[in-house]
Amino acid sequence: IELLEGMMRAHPTAWRTDNGLRALIEWSKLECARGDSGRAVKIALEAATRAKTAGKVPLERMANRQLNLYVAGGCGGSIGGLDADVLNRVADDLRTQAKYADAIRAYRSVISSAPDTPQGFVTHKWQAWENMARCYKEEGDLLGQALAYEAIHEAWKNGLIPRIKGDQHPNEDRAAKSRILAQQAMKSLAETTRSKVFETRLEAMTGQLRRDYPNTNLGGNIDWNRALDLWKRALEQKRKKDPAWKQALAEAQGVFESISQDPKSPVQEKAWTYLVRLHGQLERYDEAIATAEKALSGWNTPEELKQEEKFDTIRARRQAARAGITYWLADAHTKKKDYAKVLETLANYSSKFPN
């Protein structure tokens, strides 16, 4: 131990290397063997923190495993007054071992031990709630997963998660991502249980998502997912002869139209395709034809064609959208029994769109 202490003073940067980190972990074991559990925990925590900073995940997990052993009484006796950082690493180790029920209890200890302040939430509680949700997911407990993410949403609404001013909104993006994951869990619950309680809750979450997280960079995904959910709900209601299906489609139309006018959206072209299909579902074939022609002609201007030449991703998206829109355009002409237009629309379709 004296040798290790001397090495640490003489070579402070050596403890960032693999061998240096392993030496720290071994040092913690020696302290444990001496019965000094507090010092063993302190050194193992330092090893874990240094390993995380250096991006050395296997060594971080190795240090976390030792922390877990020490906290569980592996050095003899008990340890009191553990801080949230130590408890969080113990919980992480349990999750790594797939001991999810134990990990959930440990994460709850982290949450109860950390201060109920913005700093306490961001530093300790936020990650604990996220990891707890992952544990619930691994156990197949969708409700537990959704409720864990709900705690993050409540912290956002109550101001425990700081709003960051400027063009970037990392805290809002992170909280919004958790909200989307909660929404997905609730959606799975609604689909598997067919419970009106979960369906109603899902609708409320979906409707509020954009208003709760107005600045998030995930906004495009939020809008797109909402539009698709409304679309799927409308088709299911239509299949069941539920008259509410037209209202759901009307809501979806508004979202699709908003996305179709956003040139920065990676799903702009898909939104146009869905708009054509939507008019067809409502038997508004003239509007379907007009929407399809507007999209196709808009992409064939010299300026837009230059964008396709410049960016492969735009060209690929447009090619897929042209194929889909052309198909649904022909379908609208078919429904109107304008077969000459159908033939004209589908002329050379397979050579234009081979895939």
Side-chain angles (χ1 to χ4, degrees), residues 287-306:
E287 291 184 52
I289 292 167
T291 301
E293 291 176 345
K294 182 178 181 180
L296 295 173
S297 62
W299 295 334
N300 284 334
T301 63
E303 183 180 87
E304 292 300 321
L305 291 173
K306 283 182 181 179

Side-chain angles (χ1 to χ4, degrees), residues 1-15 19-32 34 39 43 46 50:
I1 291 174
E2 290 178 2
L3 177 61
L4 287 166
E5 288 176 336
M7 288 174 60
M8 191 167 189
R9 287 192 298 269
H11 307 285
T13 58
W15 305 99
N19 287 336
L21 291 167
R22 287 193 178 92
L24 269 179
I25 295 169
E26 293 304 314
W27 182 357
S28 75
K29 293 178 183 178
L30 290 173
E31 295 290 358
C32 181
R34 293 176 62 195
R39 190 160 170 76
I43 294 170
E46 183 165 352
R50 288 172 180 261

Side-chain angles (χ1 to χ4, degrees), residues 87-292:
L87 293 172
N88 204 19
R89 290 191 172 280
V90 169
D92 286 347
D93 179 59
L94 291 167
R95 184 166 69 92
T96 300
Q97 297 180 69
K99 296 179 179 179
Y100 299 118
D102 292 336
I104 289 168
R105 285 191 289 272
Y107 285 126
R108 290 198 179 279
S109 295
V110 174
I111 292 162
S112 62
S113 67
D116 194 21
T117 62
Q119 183 177 357
F121 189 90
V122 171
T123 305
H124 299 294
K125 294 187 179 186
W126 198 343
Q127 187 175 27
W129 281 118
E130 288 175 334
N131 287 336
M132 191 191 302
R134 295 182 181 110
C135 290
Y136 278 121
K137 182 179 180 181
E138 291 294 335
E139 289 201 316
D141 186 345
L142 292 171
L143 182 57
Q145 180 191 4
L147 291 175
Y149 283 130
E150 184 72 21
I152 297 172
H153 177 63
E154 289 300 317
W156 172 254
K157 288 172 61 179
N158 295 337
L160 277 177
I161 299 176
R163 268 66 165 170
I164 297 175
K165 296 180 179 180
D167 295 333
Q168 302 298 317
H169 305 276
N171 283 356
E172 187 169 349
D173 289 347
R174 183 178 170 186
K177 184 176 181 180
S178 290
R179 195 58 173 166
I180 291 171
L181 291 171
Q183 181 182 334
Q184 291 171 354
M186 193 61 64
K187 181 179 179 181
S188 296
L189 269 174
E191 290 174 348
T192 54
T193 65
R194 299 292 180 182
S195 168
K196 286 292 183 183
V197 173
F198 295 135
E199 289 176 2
T200 302
R201 181 60 182 151
L202 175 61
E203 290 178 14
M205 293 170 70
T206 303
Q208 278 291 125
L209 201 53
R210 164 57 77 186
R211 290 189 286 275
D212 289 334
Y213 302 95
N215 301 310
T216 179
N217 289 332
L218 301 175
N221 289 335
I222 290 173
D223 293 339
W224 180 246
N225 290 336
R226 172 165 166 69
L228 288 183
D229 284 341
L230 289 166
W231 170 266
K232 292 173 184 176
R233 188 200 312 167
L235 295 190
E236 180 66 12
Q237 289 172 334
K238 183 179 181 182
R239 185 183 67 80
K240 294 179 178 179
K241 297 181 172 27
D242 182 343
W245 73 273
K246 290 187 178 181
Q247 177 58 35
L249 269 192
E251 291 182 43
Q253 180 179 346
V255 185
F256 282 133
E257 286 177 346
S258 177
I259 297 171
S260 74
Q261 299 306 309
D262 182 4
K264 295 182 180 180
S265 173
V267 290
Q268 182 191 32
E269 292 82 5
K270 288 184 178 180
W272 279 105
T273 305
Y274 271 93
L275 282 171
V276 176
R277 294 180 64 187
L278 186 147
H279 288 307
Q281 284 289 333
L282 292 167
E283 299 182 7
R284 300 191 304 225
Y285 302 120
D286 287 334
E287 291 184 52
I289 292 167
T291 301

